[in-house]
Amino acid sequence: MSTIKVNIVTPDGPVYDSEANMVIAVTSTGELGVLPGHIPMVAPLEIGAVRLNKDSGTERIAVSGGFLEVRPDKVTILAQAAELAEDIDADRAIEARKRAEARLQAKQDDTDFKRAELSLKRAMNRLNVAKGNF
């Protein structure tokens, strides 16, 4: 099966650089699957899992927003934050989820509520990717 080059980059540097048979990402309009030869496009990413289907199995990466750029032979993801499933510290993600839930229950002003809501989404995404739930 043919492959497509995949690069995932954050402000802290490169996170992933390899090939995949298919890239599946969560965009603002829904889930998008990209195969080699896909038409060029750019799409904003949501907080979610990027799945990279390979002959050897599926690799998962937790992404916290950003952009997906597709060319026929390459996919580039410019993410605010990204972590490979095996690099996620589940205990740390659980603590982040607990802190976010506590802030949401405190019912502070709108700004804090939105920040807590985003923190909760990021923590849940990291936990789901680490556990293989998506």
Side-chain angles (χ1 to χ4, degrees), residues 39-84:
I39 61 168
M41 65 173 287
V42 174
L45 292 174
E46 294 290 317
I47 295 170
V50 172
R51 297 188 314 267
L52 305 168
N53 292 346
K54 302 176 125 190
D55 291 334
S56 59
T58 301
E59 292 187 47
R60 299 173 317 278
I61 300 166
V63 175
S64 296
F67 289 92
L68 170 84
E69 178 191 23
V70 177
R71 294 187 206 154
D73 61 339
K74 184 177 184 181
V75 172
T76 302
I77 295 176
L78 304 171
Q80 295 169 355
E83 283 181 275
L84 300 172

Side-chain angles (χ1 to χ4, degrees), residues 5 8 13 27 68 73 79 91-92 96 108 115 118 132:
K5 181 121 177 86
I8 300 176
T27 69
L68 170 84
D73 61 339
D91 292 335
R92 192 171 144 239
Q108 297 170 343
R115 286 179 55 203
L118 286 172

Side-chain angles (χ1 to χ4, degrees), residues 6-7 10 13 25 33 36-37 42 64 83 91 95-96 98 104 111 115 118 124 131-132:
V6 182
N7 289 325
T10 68
V42 174
S64 296
E83 283 181 275
D91 292 335
E95 289 302 316
K98 288 178 183 176
L104 286 171
T111 304
R115 286 179 55 203
L118 286 172
M124 293 303 300
K131 294 178 181 177

Side-chain angles (χ1 to χ4, degrees), residues 12 50 96 109 121 125 134:
D12 295 330
V50 172
D109 65 40
K121 279 184 180 180
N125 180 48
F134 35 81

Side-chain angles (χ1 to χ4, degrees), residues 88-122:
I88 295 172
D89 182 345
D91 292 335
R92 192 171 144 239
I94 289 169
E95 289 302 316
R97 184 191 69 201
K98 288 178 183 176
R99 283 192 308 273
E101 288 171 342
R103 282 194 304 254
L104 286 171
Q105 291 173 355
K107 302 198 192 293
Q108 297 170 343
D109 65 40
D110 278 349
T111 304
D112 285 342
F113 183 82
K114 288 177 185 174
R115 286 179 55 203
E117 210 171 32
L118 286 172
S119 293
L120 180 59
K121 279 184 180 180
R122 285 190 299 269

